[in-house]
Amino acid sequence: MPSLADRLLALIQWPLPQHWLSRIVLAFTRWRFRPFKNFMIRLICRLYRVDLSEAVKTEAEGYESFNAFFTRALTGGARPLASGEGAVLCPVDGAVSQAGEIQDGRVFQAKGKDFSLAELLGGDAERARSFAGGTFATLYLSPKDYHRIHMPLAGELVETVQVPGRLWAVNPATARAVPRLFARNERLAAIFETEAGPMALVMVGAIFVSAVETVWGGLETPPTRSRPHRKNYRDAAMRLDFGAEMGRFNMGSTVIALFGPGAVELAPAITPGAPIRMGQLLANLRG
């Protein structure tokens, strides 16, 4: 159950102009004024103990903006990919928020809270049916983490769905306090066809973190839309390899990975609160 501190944190966020604040932060993170961006990069590195030795650019001066630092590329080999037949990769750095089976069309969020799979995917019951009875992993990225998102499996892009919503924080405290948090926040769902069947990567925005990019479409959000917006890629032959970059957050947030029924078995290390790194084993293919 949420503590008093959890509830107070959620209460503070309720009246905030979340999208307006996020647009301001978006502009500041792209400001190229060198004293400002160097100060901010060094501050975040100190506060969150960011390891820049694994990045291609190891000094604050090497980044043209704060956002370039947040979406930094890593050196080759910094994130080795799990090997072995049937390996399914963790798509991001961060920590496991929750993971498990999708039961009765609901995804577990926190004790006493869950949300509708169909609502998460933009309200389309047919789209959600592909994942009913399947497996999910909700993965939280903090400010210290690598912010690019990679493919757990090789796959062909089928469609994307941009779903409008609020921009609550997505940290564990807010997840405990706000019902249906991940189905209420603005998000972009990318759905792929893989050797294991359908796979979705749902990139959930958060306060100060509403900008999501993909490698095929560039900046997807903003703008914010008034209703779910679908793009069909079935005829585009957009195939991404195992471990390839597929998108990035311009600040940290949450990715929810979805797999169809009977497709994968989560790795033993994927438990709530466990730290994760992109490329480690998330699950194994069944059969």
Side-chain angles (χ1 to χ4, degrees), residues 100-108 114-115 132-134 136:
E101 301 301 312
I102 300 167
Q103 298 181 349
D104 300 322
R106 310 289 296 181
V107 181
F108 183 70
D114 59 17
F115 53 88
F136 80 96

Side-chain angles (χ1 to χ4, degrees), residues 13 17 20 23 27 31 41-43 55 73 119 169 172 174 189 203 253 258 275 278:
Q13 295 177 63
W20 183 77
R23 297 300 179 266
W31 194 20
I41 292 170
R42 293 190 184 108
L43 178 63
E119 187 179 14
T174 308
M203 293 159 279
S253 195
L258 304 173
M278 192 286 289

